[in-house]
Amino acid sequence: MAKKRRSWVSAEELARRHQRALNTFVRENWTDIPEEIEVKLRSLKAWGFDLVMGLREGVETVFVSETEKGRQVGDVYEEGGETFEVREILTELPKGAKLLVRVGLEDRRGVIRAYYQDPQGEETLLFTLPAAELLLAYFKKRGFGKLLEAFHSSGLTTEFIQKRGEEGRAYPFEQLPNKMRRALREARDIIRKRTESGRFSLVYFGKNKDGDDRYFATWLVPTIRLFDVDVAERLDKMFAAMD
């Protein structure tokens, strides 16, 4: 019978981990993680889609077309084995209509579904995409470079990780530079006022020999909240301000 291998950590390493754990600072609040949000038409365009009224396989309906394909009224085209005809590219929604975005888990990954709900409450599925695929395309289109760099994974929540420099002795709160304290305040405000749920953590290791800050920061944000362009922009600016 094979012997079990024992993991061994030196007293010095244990002390280092303990010191880091005590000096990792957290802003956090959890309510129910939102799984649906109503968005504006401009948000759909910000993600790279036009909302179209027309014919799909000869039936009048609402669908989306990627903005980069530049569809025009009167265009007839095939996509995914179906025929589409563009009758109108909507610039505003009919009174009482809504655009709904829902996030779920499918095949061990986050999935986004967008729906058009007409004034009578009837829903039309506009698209289904992996959350990571839509978020990364959206961040790229909007120029959110820091979110692109820090993106780690996406399910009902999305995780961002930003690390600079090598780990070392973790600094206590009293020794944090002003910009790190500002990051903690900003995270608190974003959670309280914008996302309602979420978790931001920060551990700071001081400066390297070139005078650059060393730190490790993570954000865990309800995925659905990132489709609010203003929220995504604030997160991107916050990560940028930490460098």
Side-chain angles (χ1 to χ4, degrees), residues 32-37 100-105 111-113 156 222-225:
D32 292 335
I33 299 174
E35 298 181 19
E36 178 180 288
I37 189 173
L100 304 173
V101 177
R102 296 177 182 138
V103 62
L105 288 174
V111 173
I112 296 294
R113 289 184 171 85
L156 297 181
T223 296
I224 210 73
R225 295 298 187 211

Side-chain angles (χ1 to χ4, degrees), residues 27-30 147 150-153 157-162 183-192 194-202 216-222 226 231 234-239 242:
R27 294 297 191 188
E28 182 173 30
N29 185 62
W30 292 105
L147 295 187
F151 182 88
H152 181 65
S153 63
T157 59
T158 293
E159 185 174 22
F160 299 95
I161 298 174
Q162 181 160 291
L184 287 166
R185 290 196 299 270
E186 179 77 359
R188 176 198 60 196
D189 291 344
I190 290 172
I191 292 171
R192 283 181 179 177
R194 306 307 298 270
T195 66
E196 298 179 28
S197 294
R199 183 179 193 272
F200 175 76
S201 69
L202 170 68
F216 185 88
T218 67
W219 255 114
L220 199 60
V221 184
L226 291 166
V231 170
R234 286 190 68 171
L235 292 176
D236 188 74
K237 287 181 176 179
M238 179 180 158
F239 271 141
M242 292 174 69

Side-chain angles (χ1 to χ4, degrees), residues 131-236:
E133 179 181 328
L134 181 55
L135 283 171
L136 291 173
Y138 159 47
F139 296 158
K140 183 177 180 181
K141 180 178 179 64
R142 298 294 299 187
F144 297 149
K146 289 298 181 183
L147 295 187
L148 278 171
E149 290 177 14
F151 182 88
H152 181 65
S153 63
S154 193
L156 297 181
T157 59
T158 293
E159 185 174 22
F160 299 95
I161 298 174
Q162 181 160 291
K163 179 182 179 181
R164 294 291 179 266
E166 296 298 321
E167 294 184 15
R169 181 181 66 85
Y171 279 47
F173 181 81
E174 294 74 19
Q175 296 180 25
L176 294 183
N178 287 335
K179 67 179 180 180
M180 296 301 163
R181 295 192 188 197
R182 281 197 300 271
L184 287 166
R185 290 196 299 270
E186 179 77 359
R188 176 198 60 196
D189 291 344
I190 290 172
I191 292 171
R192 283 181 179 177
K193 300 174 183 178
R194 306 307 298 270
T195 66
E196 298 179 28
S197 294
R199 183 179 193 272
F200 175 76
S201 69
L202 170 68
V203 55
Y204 179 70
F205 304 114
K207 296 182 181 294
N208 63 17
K209 62 181 181 180
D210 297 319
D212 297 324
D213 288 305
R214 299 176 299 153
Y215 64 89
F216 185 88
T218 67
W219 255 114
L220 199 60
V221 184
T223 296
I224 210 73
R225 295 298 187 211
L226 291 166
F227 292 102
D228 181 331
V229 177
D230 294 333
V231 170
E233 184 175 33
R234 286 190 68 171
L235 292 176
D236 188 74

Side-chain angles (χ1 to χ4, degrees), residues 110-128:
V111 173
I112 296 294
R113 289 184 171 85
Y115 297 83
Y116 170 77
Q117 186 182 82
D118 66 23
Q120 289 71 46
E122 188 78 19
E123 291 186 356
T124 300
L125 178 64
L126 300 176
F127 61 78
T128 302

